[in-house]
Amino acid sequence: MVSGSLGSAARASAEESRSKLLFHQGLSLLDSKQDVAACAKFRESLAAEPSVGAMLNVAMCSTREHKLAQALEEYRALLVLNEATVDAERRKNVDARA
């Protein structure tokens, strides 16, 4: 059973690494004014591993795309996800942006 646990931990770590890579690719695309491609990367990042940063960017993408009902759901999910943020200042900042 230990090998199964190690395999699960390795998969989780790989997904987290993949998520971070996708997130940073999204940020680079945003910097290059490639909003559509950036939003796709943020959504892939969120699907790989939920994070406050990815969720915030996905919600902002939905807002820019005029998908307001979807954006509202994403902002609500962001607020719930953000409750687990350990850094109080970051949590406050994300709450304010949401």
Side-chain angles (χ1 to χ4, degrees):
M1 201 54 90
V2 172
S3 65
S5 297
L6 292 176
S8 295
R11 277 192 299 279
S13 178
E15 283 301 304
E16 183 178 348
S17 295
R18 180 173 176 270
S19 176
K20 287 179 181 180
L21 174 65
L22 290 164
F23 180 79
H24 289 290
Q25 289 173 345
L27 291 177
S28 293
L29 288 163
L30 269 186
D31 288 343
S32 301
K33 308 293 185 216
Q34 297 178 49
D35 292 1
V36 173
C39 289
K41 292 294 181 182
F42 291 133
R43 288 184 172 107
E44 285 183 68
S45 173
L46 185 64
E49 179 76 24
S51 72
V52 169
M55 180 61 83
L56 176 60
N57 281 286
V58 166
M60 290 171 32
C61 287
S62 294
T63 301
R64 281 193 301 273
E65 295 164 353
H66 304 287
K67 298 176 181 176
L68 301 183
Q70 180 176 328
L72 181 60
E73 285 181 32
E74 291 162 348
Y75 281 117
R76 286 179 177 154
L78 170 61
L79 290 171
V80 170
L81 186 61
N82 194 42
E83 289 175 5
T85 299
V86 176
D87 181 338
E89 188 63 29
R90 176 166 166 76
R91 186 173 53 248
K92 182 179 173 184
N93 185 342
V94 171
D95 280 347
R97 293 183 74 184

XYZ file of all heavy atoms in Angstrom:
733
model
N 0.817 -1.194 0.000
C 0.000 0.000 0.000
C 0.860 1.257 0.000
O 0.465 2.270 -0.475
C -0.934 -0.035 1.213
C -2.167 0.857 1.097
S -3.176 0.624 -0.366
C -4.299 -0.616 0.184
N 2.066 1.179 0.535
C 2.945 2.337 0.578
C 3.283 2.808 -0.830
O 3.296 3.993 -1.114
C 4.231 2.023 1.380
C 5.232 3.141 1.257
C 3.884 1.762 2.837
N 3.549 1.873 -1.740
C 3.895 2.277 -3.101
C 2.740 3.016 -3.761
O 2.955 3.932 -4.537
C 4.324 1.069 -3.942
O 3.234 0.183 -4.092
N 1.515 2.655 -3.450
C 0.352 3.368 -3.970
C 0.301 4.790 -3.459
O -0.013 5.723 -4.192
N 0.641 4.975 -2.190
C 0.670 6.313 -1.606
C 1.758 7.154 -2.243
O 1.575 8.336 -2.514
C 0.907 6.241 -0.101
O -0.148 5.574 0.530
N 2.914 6.550 -2.491
C 4.006 7.273 -3.124
C 3.635 7.670 -4.547
O 3.958 8.763 -4.994
C 5.287 6.433 -3.115
C 5.916 6.196 -1.754
C 7.110 5.264 -1.879
C 6.331 7.508 -1.122
N 2.956 6.777 -5.242
C 2.514 7.082 -6.599
C 1.526 8.225 -6.616
O 1.598 9.107 -7.469
N 0.610 8.247 -5.667
C -0.368 9.336 -5.568
C 0.317 10.657 -5.260
O -0.021 11.687 -5.831
C -1.396 9.040 -4.474
O -2.155 7.914 -4.803
N 1.291 10.627 -4.372
C 2.023 11.841 -4.021
C 2.806 12.360 -5.219
O 2.856 13.568 -5.472
C 2.952 11.577 -2.845
N 3.401 11.458 -5.979
C 4.166 11.860 -7.165
C 3.246 12.469 -8.213
O 3.589 13.476 -8.831
C 4.909 10.659 -7.735
N 2.068 11.868 -8.408
C 1.100 12.422 -9.377
C 0.631 13.797 -8.929
O 0.534 14.713 -9.739
C -0.093 11.469 -9.537
C 0.164 10.355 -10.518
C -1.111 9.608 -10.870
N -1.747 8.981 -9.722
C -1.397 7.815 -9.187
N -0.378 7.144 -9.687
N -2.039 7.327 -8.155
N 0.353 13.954 -7.642
C -0.093 15.250 -7.123
C 0.992 16.301 -7.311
O 0.708 17.440 -7.708
C -0.476 15.123 -5.652
N 2.224 15.927 -7.060
C 3.339 16.856 -7.228
C 3.509 17.235 -8.700
O 3.765 18.394 -9.027
C 4.623 16.228 -6.692
O 5.705 17.106 -6.884
N 3.352 16.273 -9.587
C 3.465 16.542 -11.028
C 2.361 17.480 -11.484
O 2.598 18.398 -12.276
C 3.428 15.234 -11.807
N 1.144 17.266 -10.991
C 0.026 18.147 -11.360
C 0.253 19.561 -10.838
O -0.042 20.536 -11.519
C -1.302 17.590 -10.842
C -1.842 16.447 -11.662
C -2.087 16.816 -13.109
O -2.828 17.782 -13.399
O -1.524 16.123 -13.974
N 0.782 19.669 -9.629
C 1.067 20.995 -9.074
C 2.136 21.706 -9.905
O 2.010 22.889 -10.220
C 1.525 20.878 -7.619
C 1.773 22.214 -6.970
C 2.191 22.099 -5.514
O 2.086 21.008 -4.932
O 2.628 23.126 -4.970
N 3.171 20.977 -10.291
C 4.225 21.561 -11.122
C 3.672 21.975 -12.476
O 3.989 23.052 -12.984
C 5.367 20.556 -11.320
O 6.001 20.288 -10.103
N 2.849 21.129 -13.054
C 2.228 21.440 -14.346
C 1.344 22.675 -14.220
O 1.367 23.570 -15.065
C 1.414 20.247 -14.836
C 0.733 20.466 -16.165
C 0.079 19.158 -16.666
N -0.643 19.418 -17.869
C -1.920 19.780 -17.928
N -2.626 19.905 -16.809
N -2.517 20.014 -19.072
N 0.588 22.740 -13.141
C -0.290 23.878 -12.901
C 0.505 25.175 -12.802
O 0.118 26.197 -13.388
C -1.096 23.650 -11.620
O -1.878 24.771 -11.319
N 1.594 25.139 -12.071
C 2.434 26.336 -11.922
C 3.034 26.758 -13.256
O 3.081 27.946 -13.570
C 3.535 26.089 -10.890
C 3.025 26.062 -9.476
C 4.139 25.797 -8.488
C 3.570 25.758 -7.077
N 4.609 25.498 -6.074
N 3.482 25.791 -14.048
C 4.041 26.099 -15.361
C 2.982 26.765 -16.239
O 3.248 27.791 -16.872
C 4.569 24.826 -16.029
C 5.045 24.981 -17.468
C 6.271 25.890 -17.526
C 5.356 23.625 -18.079
N 1.796 26.196 -16.278
C 0.709 26.763 -17.075
C 0.345 28.170 -16.600
O 0.112 29.073 -17.406
C -0.520 25.851 -17.016
C -0.381 24.511 -17.744
C -1.477 23.552 -17.303
C -0.400 24.719 -19.253
N 0.322 28.364 -15.289
C 0.004 29.667 -14.726
C 1.028 30.706 -15.181
O 0.671 31.800 -15.628
C -0.051 29.588 -13.197
C -0.385 30.895 -12.544
C -1.693 31.337 -12.488
C 0.608 31.682 -11.995
C -2.005 32.558 -11.892
C 0.307 32.897 -11.396
C -1.011 33.334 -11.344
N 2.299 30.368 -15.088
C 3.347 31.312 -15.481
C 3.336 31.567 -16.990
O 3.618 32.685 -17.430
C 4.709 30.847 -14.979
C 4.841 30.986 -13.497
N 4.926 32.211 -12.867
C 4.840 30.070 -12.507
C 4.985 32.037 -11.565
N 4.935 30.754 -11.318
N 2.979 30.550 -17.765
C 2.817 30.762 -19.203
C 1.676 31.750 -19.454
O 1.781 32.628 -20.318
C 2.535 29.438 -19.921
C 3.730 28.529 -19.987
C 3.399 27.154 -20.550
O 2.240 26.748 -20.648
N 4.436 26.417 -20.917
N 0.603 31.615 -18.691
C -0.522 32.547 -18.808
C -0.107 33.970 -18.488
O -0.478 34.913 -19.196
N 0.686 34.147 -17.434
C 1.162 35.485 -17.084
C 2.018 36.078 -18.208
O 1.886 37.257 -18.549
C 1.967 35.439 -15.783
C 1.187 35.144 -14.504
C 2.139 35.068 -13.314
C 0.102 36.171 -14.257
N 2.884 35.256 -18.788
C 3.726 35.731 -19.896
C 2.876 36.131 -21.090
O 3.149 37.146 -21.745
C 4.718 34.641 -20.314
O 5.646 34.406 -19.293
N 1.862 35.351 -21.372
C 0.974 35.673 -22.486
C 0.212 36.971 -22.216
O 0.014 37.780 -23.130
C 0.010 34.517 -22.757
C 0.664 33.280 -23.389
C -0.241 32.064 -23.244
C 1.005 33.549 -24.849
N -0.198 37.175 -20.974
C -0.856 38.440 -20.622
C 0.081 39.613 -20.851
O -0.327 40.653 -21.389
C -1.305 38.434 -19.159
C -2.687 37.954 -18.810
C -2.959 38.173 -17.323
C -3.763 38.571 -19.641
N 1.319 39.458 -20.446
C 2.319 40.509 -20.648
C 2.499 40.834 -22.128
O 2.800 41.963 -22.489
C 3.673 40.113 -20.054
C 3.679 40.141 -18.535
O 2.767 40.756 -17.930
O 4.597 39.533 -17.947
N 2.303 39.819 -22.973
C 2.441 39.989 -24.418
C 1.132 40.398 -25.080
O 1.022 40.369 -26.302
C 2.930 38.682 -25.053
O 4.163 38.293 -24.515
N 0.137 40.740 -24.255
C -1.182 41.168 -24.756
C -1.903 40.076 -25.540
O -2.698 40.351 -26.421
C -1.062 42.430 -25.622
C -0.317 43.574 -24.977
C -1.066 44.135 -23.813
C -0.330 45.371 -23.275
N -0.399 45.514 -21.867
N -1.631 38.811 -25.189
C -2.294 37.678 -25.829
C -3.339 37.124 -24.859
O -3.212 36.025 -24.337
C -1.268 36.618 -26.212
C -0.248 37.105 -27.232
C 0.773 36.052 -27.557
O 0.412 34.909 -27.852
N 2.045 36.419 -27.497
N -4.377 37.923 -24.633
C -5.370 37.614 -23.605
C -6.078 36.279 -23.816
O -6.278 35.536 -22.852
C -6.404 38.730 -23.517
C -5.831 40.027 -22.981
O -4.623 40.083 -22.687
O -6.592 40.992 -22.863
N -6.465 35.970 -25.033
C -7.210 34.732 -25.283
C -6.357 33.517 -24.930
O -6.818 32.604 -24.237
C -7.691 34.668 -26.752
C -8.308 33.319 -27.067
C -8.701 35.789 -27.024
N -5.117 33.521 -25.389
C -4.217 32.408 -25.088
C -3.909 32.346 -23.595
O -3.823 31.263 -23.010
C -2.927 32.539 -25.895
N -3.758 33.514 -22.968
C -3.492 33.559 -21.522
C -4.647 32.940 -20.746
O -4.428 32.145 -19.828
C -3.257 34.996 -21.070
N -5.855 33.294 -21.119
C -7.027 32.754 -20.417
C -7.091 31.234 -20.545
O -7.431 30.542 -19.580
C -8.303 33.410 -20.938
S -8.459 35.140 -20.425
N -6.740 30.722 -21.709
C -6.727 29.265 -21.897
C -5.712 28.619 -20.953
O -5.993 27.575 -20.345
C -6.409 28.925 -23.349
N -4.541 29.227 -20.799
C -3.518 28.686 -19.889
C -3.981 28.737 -18.442
O -3.754 27.797 -17.679
C -2.197 29.444 -20.034
C -1.510 29.240 -21.357
C -1.052 27.811 -21.543
C -0.346 27.666 -22.884
N 0.078 26.285 -23.136
N -4.622 29.835 -18.051
C -5.120 29.934 -16.680
C -6.173 28.863 -16.402
O -6.196 28.271 -15.325
C -5.696 31.322 -16.394
C -4.662 32.415 -16.358
C -4.868 33.599 -17.027
C -3.479 32.257 -15.645
C -3.926 34.622 -16.996
C -2.513 33.259 -15.608
C -2.736 34.447 -16.291
N -7.027 28.610 -17.385
C -8.057 27.572 -17.202
C -7.429 26.186 -17.109
O -7.863 25.359 -16.304
C -9.090 27.668 -18.316
C -9.982 28.886 -18.159
C -11.100 28.960 -19.194
N -12.005 30.035 -18.843
C -12.083 31.210 -19.494
N -11.319 31.435 -20.552
N -12.937 32.132 -19.095
N -6.412 25.937 -17.912
C -5.694 24.656 -17.828
C -5.009 24.517 -16.466
O -5.023 23.440 -15.864
C -4.635 24.554 -18.921
C -5.163 24.282 -20.306
C -4.016 24.139 -21.298
O -3.264 23.134 -21.188
O -3.866 25.030 -22.147
N -4.413 25.598 -16.006
C -3.744 25.599 -14.709
C -4.733 25.270 -13.595
O -4.457 24.444 -12.723
C -3.096 26.965 -14.453
O -2.581 27.045 -13.150
N -5.888 25.911 -13.641
C -6.913 25.690 -12.624
C -7.410 24.246 -12.648
O -7.622 23.643 -11.593
C -8.072 26.663 -12.829
C -9.169 26.639 -11.783
C -8.629 27.064 -10.423
C -10.310 27.545 -12.201
N -7.561 23.694 -13.849
C -8.022 22.305 -13.967
C -6.982 21.327 -13.417
O -7.340 20.308 -12.817
C -8.337 21.980 -15.427
N -5.702 21.652 -13.605
C -4.637 20.767 -13.127
C -4.522 20.799 -11.613
O -4.326 19.754 -10.981
C -3.297 21.152 -13.759
N -4.654 21.986 -11.039
C -4.522 22.135 -9.579
C -5.163 23.457 -9.173
O -4.648 24.523 -9.519
C -3.033 22.137 -9.188
C -2.766 22.310 -7.719
C -3.037 21.057 -6.912
O -2.991 19.955 -7.461
O -3.294 21.210 -5.705
N -6.274 23.423 -8.457
C -6.918 24.678 -8.050
C -5.984 25.555 -7.220
O -5.303 25.067 -6.319
C -8.108 24.217 -7.213
C -8.389 22.827 -7.672
C -7.032 22.257 -8.022
N -5.934 26.833 -7.588
C -5.151 27.796 -6.823
C -5.862 29.143 -6.868
O -6.637 29.418 -7.793
C -3.739 27.934 -7.383
O -3.757 28.635 -8.616
N -5.578 29.955 -5.882
C -6.197 31.278 -5.797
C -5.811 32.128 -7.010
O -6.654 32.777 -7.618
C -5.808 31.970 -4.467
C -6.208 33.423 -4.457
C -6.436 31.228 -3.294
N -4.529 32.101 -7.378
C -4.072 32.910 -8.503
C -4.735 32.521 -9.805
O -5.182 33.377 -10.575
N -4.800 31.224 -10.070
C -5.435 30.761 -11.306
C -6.925 31.100 -11.295
O -7.468 31.586 -12.297
C -5.227 29.259 -11.482
N -7.591 30.877 -10.164
C -9.028 31.155 -10.082
C -9.305 32.639 -10.279
O -10.257 33.013 -10.972
C -9.597 30.673 -8.751
C -11.091 30.917 -8.594
S -12.121 30.079 -9.820
C -12.240 28.474 -9.099
N -8.497 33.497 -9.697
C -8.681 34.936 -9.863
C -8.540 35.318 -11.333
O -9.371 36.053 -11.870
C -7.670 35.710 -9.018
C -7.697 37.233 -9.164
C -9.054 37.801 -8.787
C -6.600 37.864 -8.316
N -7.517 34.796 -11.992
C -7.325 35.118 -13.402
C -8.421 34.543 -14.284
O -8.861 35.190 -15.240
C -5.937 34.668 -13.866
C -4.880 35.645 -13.435
O -4.761 36.727 -13.989
N -4.120 35.282 -12.420
N -8.903 33.359 -13.980
C -10.004 32.771 -14.740
C -11.259 33.634 -14.595
O -11.953 33.920 -15.572
C -10.259 31.311 -14.300
C -11.594 30.790 -14.803
C -9.118 30.416 -14.785
N -11.547 34.060 -13.381
C -12.724 34.917 -13.155
C -12.583 36.236 -13.903
O -13.548 36.735 -14.503
C -12.918 35.156 -11.663
N -11.384 36.802 -13.902
C -11.154 38.050 -14.632
C -11.301 37.822 -16.140
O -11.858 38.668 -16.850
C -9.775 38.606 -14.286
C -9.723 39.128 -12.856
S -8.100 39.605 -12.180
C -7.189 40.192 -13.549
N -10.855 36.675 -16.625
C -11.025 36.339 -18.045
C -12.507 36.252 -18.396
O -12.946 36.803 -19.414
C -10.342 35.012 -18.362
S -8.534 35.079 -18.394
N -13.273 35.567 -17.581
C -14.709 35.438 -17.846
C -15.387 36.802 -17.852
O -16.276 37.057 -18.668
C -15.368 34.524 -16.811
O -14.877 33.210 -16.944
N -14.947 37.687 -16.966
C -15.490 39.044 -16.940
C -15.178 39.762 -18.248
O -16.069 40.366 -18.866
C -14.924 39.834 -15.748
O -15.271 39.147 -14.540
C -15.481 41.245 -15.701
N -13.925 39.695 -18.693
C -13.530 40.345 -19.958
C -14.271 39.760 -21.150
O -14.505 40.446 -22.134
C -12.021 40.212 -20.178
C -11.205 41.188 -19.379
C -9.762 41.254 -19.856
N -9.049 39.995 -19.797
C -8.390 39.544 -18.733
N -8.358 40.258 -17.632
N -7.755 38.402 -18.765
N -14.614 38.476 -21.054
C -15.333 37.801 -22.142
C -16.844 38.037 -22.060
O -17.594 37.482 -22.839
C -15.032 36.295 -22.091
C -13.575 35.968 -22.359
C -13.188 34.558 -21.940
O -14.006 33.838 -21.316
O -12.037 34.168 -22.232
N -17.263 38.856 -21.114
C -18.678 39.189 -20.895
C -19.516 37.962 -20.514
O -20.718 37.932 -20.764
C -19.266 39.899 -22.114
C -18.494 41.119 -22.497
N -18.527 42.283 -21.761
C -17.632 41.342 -23.516
C -17.729 43.180 -22.321
N -17.171 42.639 -23.376
N -18.889 36.990 -19.888
C -19.575 35.807 -19.361
C -19.808 36.076 -17.880
O -19.173 35.500 -17.001
C -18.729 34.556 -19.575
C -18.469 34.243 -21.037
C -17.547 33.054 -21.175
C -17.282 32.755 -22.631
N -16.315 31.655 -22.793
N -20.740 36.990 -17.619
C -20.876 37.530 -16.266
C -21.420 36.529 -15.254
O -20.967 36.519 -14.106
C -21.712 38.801 -16.312
C -21.135 39.906 -17.214
C -21.992 41.160 -17.146
C -19.693 40.207 -16.865
N -22.362 35.694 -15.646
C -22.873 34.689 -14.707
C -21.773 33.700 -14.336
O -21.619 33.339 -13.164
C -24.069 33.961 -15.310
N -20.996 33.302 -15.331
C -19.873 32.397 -15.078
C -18.838 33.077 -14.190
O -18.322 32.473 -13.243
C -19.249 31.982 -16.406
C -18.076 31.038 -16.267
C -17.546 30.583 -17.615
O -18.295 30.453 -18.572
N -16.250 30.348 -17.696
N -18.542 34.349 -14.476
C -17.571 35.094 -13.672
C -18.030 35.190 -12.220
O -17.219 35.024 -11.295
C -17.359 36.487 -14.253
N -19.299 35.435 -12.012
C -19.829 35.532 -10.651
C -19.617 34.222 -9.895
O -19.170 34.221 -8.739
C -21.307 35.913 -10.681
C -21.981 36.083 -9.330
C -21.305 37.173 -8.516
C -23.462 36.403 -9.526
N -19.898 33.102 -10.543
C -19.672 31.799 -9.910
C -18.191 31.605 -9.579
O -17.844 31.091 -8.518
C -20.133 30.669 -10.840
C -21.625 30.503 -10.922
C -22.010 29.346 -11.834
O -21.250 28.350 -11.904
O -23.063 29.433 -12.474
N -17.334 32.031 -10.502
C -15.897 31.868 -10.289
C -15.398 32.760 -9.154
O -14.579 32.328 -8.355
C -15.155 32.156 -11.596
C -15.419 31.080 -12.638
C -15.089 31.472 -14.053
O -14.845 32.676 -14.332
O -15.083 30.566 -14.913
N -15.895 33.974 -9.084
C -15.503 34.848 -7.976
C -15.977 34.280 -6.641
O -15.253 34.333 -5.639
C -16.033 36.273 -8.170
C -15.218 37.097 -9.128
C -15.763 37.575 -10.308
C -13.890 37.419 -8.850
C -15.007 38.342 -11.198
C -13.130 38.182 -9.722
C -13.698 38.643 -10.894
O -12.946 39.398 -11.759
N -17.174 33.716 -6.624
C -17.654 33.092 -5.382
C -16.778 31.909 -4.990
O -16.432 31.734 -3.818
C -19.112 32.660 -5.543
C -20.073 33.824 -5.522
C -21.506 33.364 -5.696
N -22.406 34.498 -5.593
C -23.600 34.548 -6.170
N -24.042 33.530 -6.882
N -24.355 35.616 -6.029
N -16.422 31.086 -5.972
C -15.542 29.944 -5.705
C -14.173 30.437 -5.239
O -13.551 29.828 -4.361
C -15.402 29.078 -6.954
N -13.720 31.543 -5.806
C -12.448 32.133 -5.407
C -12.478 32.524 -3.929
O -11.532 32.257 -3.188
C -12.140 33.358 -6.267
C -10.958 34.224 -5.833
C -9.662 33.433 -5.851
C -10.863 35.458 -6.715
N -13.545 33.146 -3.498
C -13.650 33.564 -2.097
C -13.591 32.361 -1.163
O -12.952 32.414 -0.110
C -14.925 34.376 -1.869
C -14.925 35.764 -2.515
C -16.310 36.388 -2.420
C -13.872 36.663 -1.884
N -14.233 31.264 -1.560
C -14.203 30.048 -0.742
C -12.785 29.471 -0.726
O -12.252 29.137 0.336
C -15.215 29.009 -1.270
C -15.034 27.667 -0.585
C -16.641 29.526 -1.083
N -12.165 29.374 -1.895
C -10.810 28.844 -1.991
C -9.827 29.723 -1.205
O -8.922 29.226 -0.541
C -10.388 28.771 -3.465
C -9.061 28.129 -3.805
C -9.024 26.672 -3.356
C -8.805 28.228 -5.308
N -10.044 31.018 -1.248
C -9.147 31.964 -0.593
C -9.197 31.872 0.936
O -8.260 32.295 1.604
C -9.467 33.394 -1.045
C -8.397 34.374 -0.680
O -7.212 34.103 -0.805
N -8.810 35.539 -0.216
N -10.247 31.308 1.489
C -10.344 31.158 2.945
C -9.180 30.340 3.505
O -8.795 30.514 4.659
C -11.678 30.514 3.335
C -12.863 31.424 3.128
C -14.198 30.739 3.395
O -14.210 29.560 3.832
O -15.226 31.379 3.163
N -8.612 29.469 2.666
C -7.502 28.620 3.115
C -6.142 29.297 2.945
O -5.121 28.729 3.338
C -7.518 27.304 2.333
N -6.116 30.500 2.400
C -4.851 31.209 2.215
C -4.273 31.564 3.577
O -4.922 32.223 4.379
C -5.056 32.484 1.363
O -5.556 32.097 0.078
C -3.773 33.259 1.197
N -3.062 31.128 3.828
C -2.423 31.307 5.131
C -1.973 32.755 5.340
O -2.147 33.314 6.423
C -1.222 30.338 5.275
C -0.485 30.577 6.569
C -1.700 28.898 5.169
N -1.415 33.360 4.314
C -0.912 34.739 4.402
C -2.099 35.698 4.488
O -2.833 35.900 3.522
C -0.051 35.044 3.172
C 0.546 36.439 3.181
O 0.019 37.335 3.870
O 1.550 36.644 2.481
N -2.289 36.299 5.650
C -3.454 37.155 5.898
C -3.507 38.353 4.949
O -4.586 38.734 4.480
C -3.459 37.634 7.344
N -2.364 38.943 4.650
C -2.331 40.100 3.753
C -2.742 39.701 2.337
O -3.505 40.401 1.674
C -0.928 40.738 3.753
C -0.862 42.050 3.012
C -1.727 43.151 3.620
O -1.950 43.142 4.844
O -2.195 44.006 2.849
N -2.236 38.550 1.880
C -2.617 38.055 0.544
C -4.107 37.732 0.510
O -4.794 38.045 -0.447
C -1.785 36.823 0.176
C -2.215 36.222 -1.173
C -1.186 35.247 -1.690
N -1.647 34.409 -2.759
C -1.805 34.791 -4.015
N -1.565 36.020 -4.366
N -2.227 33.943 -4.929
N -4.598 37.080 1.564
C -6.017 36.736 1.631
C -6.868 37.998 1.541
O -7.844 38.055 0.788
C -6.318 35.961 2.920
C -7.730 35.446 3.003
C -7.973 34.535 4.214
N -7.562 35.166 5.463
C -6.523 34.764 6.212
N -5.788 33.744 5.826
N -6.233 35.381 7.326
N -6.484 39.030 2.267
C -7.216 40.293 2.249
C -7.181 40.935 0.856
O -8.193 41.423 0.363
C -6.598 41.237 3.289
C -7.279 42.561 3.419
C -6.589 43.405 4.486
C -7.149 44.812 4.525
N -6.435 45.656 5.477
N -6.018 40.899 0.220
C -5.856 41.470 -1.119
C -6.740 40.741 -2.131
O -7.417 41.372 -2.946
C -4.378 41.391 -1.531
C -4.092 42.070 -2.840
O -4.960 42.336 -3.645
N -2.823 42.345 -3.059
N -6.733 39.413 -2.086
C -7.552 38.633 -3.024
C -9.027 38.871 -2.752
O -9.818 39.056 -3.693
C -7.204 37.135 -2.943
C -8.194 36.292 -3.730
C -5.784 36.901 -3.451
N -9.432 38.907 -1.492
C -10.839 39.202 -1.163
C -11.262 40.546 -1.743
O -12.351 40.680 -2.277
C -11.062 39.206 0.352
C -11.197 37.801 0.942
O -11.368 36.836 0.178
O -11.124 37.693 2.180
N -10.393 41.546 -1.633
C -10.706 42.868 -2.151
C -10.849 42.859 -3.666
O -11.749 43.515 -4.226
C -9.644 43.876 -1.736
N -9.995 42.103 -4.348
C -10.058 42.026 -5.809
C -11.278 41.249 -6.266
O -11.839 41.546 -7.325
C -8.799 41.403 -6.357
C -7.578 42.306 -6.141
C -6.345 41.745 -6.736
N -6.407 41.893 -8.196
C -5.477 41.405 -9.002
N -4.454 40.751 -8.527
N -5.582 41.588 -10.301
N -11.675 40.263 -5.485
C -12.838 39.452 -5.849
C -14.111 40.241 -5.622
O -15.086 40.119 -6.310
C -12.859 38.165 -5.045
